[in-house]
């Protein structure tokens, strides 16, 4: 009785790397598509909440919306000066130059009510009167006022016709500057900016970039959680909770959430790359 030894047949196709079994398999997971759709819906609903944000000028985080410099060159023309302590109360503020700009991302469409707390020149420097300050929004003049030697709030409305971009640029121009005891030409001093939305007739148009960043963050979080837990259902739940939390922040503090979303996306990208580092090195 004879026996035959079965020979091992050569493989026609090479085995897939762990990275291809992991990353690319997850890209075809319907739960990932569902997470992206949930992020789109959550972002749209977040923009239907009334706009209500406050930026404390001179405090931590204000550099997300403005540039600051002590330089006096042409490249510093539209920047603020460094933050300074305001009076004896421990508050902080910044002086503008003759021209200064504040970038407000992700406000969405519609009219915007602005409350600007500002102060003019000190009493001893305002011998010939205070300067006139003109504010434009995306190049459209919206408000002109004359500050006083004391702090005061100045309210104005930015019409929807001037608020058509993802980022609203407020440009402050003063008719004159003073130097005082230092060589810096100073315009007015600002310590707070409050933004409120008016009640829309139908719905608020979401800003495109924050909406896209929210979708990107949802996809990156889902992929990172899949690599860390290897449990798709748990990853889906955790990613949904993250999307909900970010959407709530977008509804309650819109301008801050819109400014921080790119940083969140970068953090999630690093987390995802670290989670897949072995699979990526095996490609």
């Amino acid at each position: 009785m004879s026996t035959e030894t079965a020979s091992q047949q050569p493989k026609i196709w090479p085995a897939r790397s762990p990275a291809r079994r992991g990353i690319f398999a997850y890209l075809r997971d319907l739960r990932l598509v569902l997470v992206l759709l949930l992020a789109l819906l959550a972002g749209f609903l977040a923009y239907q909440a009334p706009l209500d944000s406050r930026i404390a000028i001179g405090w931590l985080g204000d550099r997300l919306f403005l540039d600051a410099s002590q330089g006096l060159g042409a490249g510093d023309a539209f920047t603020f000066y460094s933050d300074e302590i305001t009076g004896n109360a421990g508050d902080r503020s910044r002086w503008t130059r003759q021209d200064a700009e504040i970038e407000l991302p992700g406000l969405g469409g519609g009219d915007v009510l602005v409350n600007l707390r500002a102060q003019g020149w000190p009493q001893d420097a305002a011998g010939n009167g205070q300067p006139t300050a003109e504010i434009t929004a995306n190049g459209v003049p919206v408000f002109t006022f004359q500050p006083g030697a004391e702090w005061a709030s100045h309210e104005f409305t930015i019409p929807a016709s001037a608020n058509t971009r993802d980022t609203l640029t407020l440009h402050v121009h003063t008719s004159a500057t003073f130097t005082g005891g230092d060589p810096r030409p100073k315009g007015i001093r600002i310590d707070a900016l409050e933004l409120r939305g008016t009640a829309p007739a139908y719905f608020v148009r979401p800003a495109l970039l924050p909406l896209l960043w929210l979708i990107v963050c949802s996809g990156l979080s889902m992929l990172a959680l899949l690599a860390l837990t290897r449990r798709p259902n748990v990853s889906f739940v955790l990613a949904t909770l993250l999307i909900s939390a970010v959407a709530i922040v977008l509804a309650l503090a819109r301008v801050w959430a819109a400014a921080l979303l790119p940083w969140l996306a970068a953090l999630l990208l690093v987390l995802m790359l670290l989670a897949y580092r072995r699979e990526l090195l095996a490609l």
Side-chain angles (χ1 to χ4, degrees):
M1 182 175 181
S2 63
T3 58
E4 295 182 357
T5 302
S7 61
Q8 185 178 3
Q9 297 295 327
K11 294 181 179 180
I12 300 177
W13 302 105
R16 293 183 177 181
S17 69
R20 293 187 179 275
R21 292 199 303 270
I23 299 175
F24 297 109
Y26 290 147
L27 291 177
R28 297 191 297 269
D29 196 315
L30 292 180
R31 279 163 292 213
L32 176 61
V33 178
L34 185 56
V35 162
L36 299 179
L37 293 176
L38 287 174
L40 177 62
L41 178 61
F44 180 83
L45 293 177
Y47 269 92
Q48 307 317 304
L51 170 66
D52 190 0
S53 297
R54 185 180 189 274
I55 302 172
I57 306 297
W59 290 91
L60 181 65
D62 69 340
R63 293 292 302 275
L64 291 170
F65 312 103
L66 56 87
D67 292 325
S69 171
Q70 291 292 85
L72 300 177
D76 307 304
F78 297 139
T79 64
F80 284 72
Y81 291 112
S82 297
D83 57 283
E84 301 176 0
I85 296 178
T86 303
N88 298 322
D91 294 329
R92 308 194 72 85
S93 61
R94 292 183 188 270
W95 281 104
T96 71
R97 303 165 193 265
Q98 187 162 20
D99 294 276
E101 289 184 345
I102 302 175
E103 303 281 345
L104 303 171
L107 297 183
D111 296 346
V112 179
L113 305 177
V114 181
N115 187 329
L116 180 73
R117 261 184 54 88
Q119 182 187 45
W121 301 348
Q123 197 66 46
D124 57 352
N128 296 325
Q130 296 285 349
T132 299
E134 180 184 6
I135 298 179
T136 60
N138 287 341
V140 178
V142 292
F143 188 57
T144 301
F145 68 101
Q146 189 173 48
E150 301 296 330
W151 287 101
S153 296
H154 305 273
E155 295 186 353
F156 58 94
T157 300
I158 299 175
S161 58
N163 182 26
T164 57
R165 305 175 189 170
D166 280 346
T167 299
L168 179 68
T169 302
L170 290 183
H171 184 99
V172 182
H173 172 79
T174 56
S175 58
T177 60
F178 86 100
T179 54
D182 62 68
R184 302 176 305 167
K186 298 177 287 294
I188 62 174
R189 196 194 312 228
I190 300 175
D191 79 341
L193 184 68
E194 296 179 357
L195 308 165
R196 299 190 308 275
T198 59
Y202 299 102
F203 65 92
V204 175
R205 173 189 58 81
L208 180 60
L209 282 179
L211 205 59
L212 291 177
W213 279 121
L214 181 59
I215 295 173
V216 169
C217 288
S218 66
L220 291 175
S221 64
M222 181 69 177
L223 291 174
L225 289 168
L226 282 169
L228 293 172
T229 65
R230 303 295 177 177
R231 300 174 65 183
N233 289 333
V234 173
S235 301
F236 174 77
V237 173
L238 293 177
T240 302
L241 292 176
L242 177 63
I243 294 169
S244 302
V246 175
I248 291 173
V249 176
L250 188 60
L252 298 179
R254 186 174 304 167
V255 69
W256 287 96
L260 291 171
L261 272 172
W263 294 95
L264 177 60
L267 179 63
L268 290 172
L269 178 60
V270 172
L271 179 63
M272 187 192 73
L273 293 177
L274 289 175
Y276 287 104
R277 62 187 183 278
R278 292 183 180 178
E279 290 90 339
L280 291 174
L281 291 175
L283 285 174

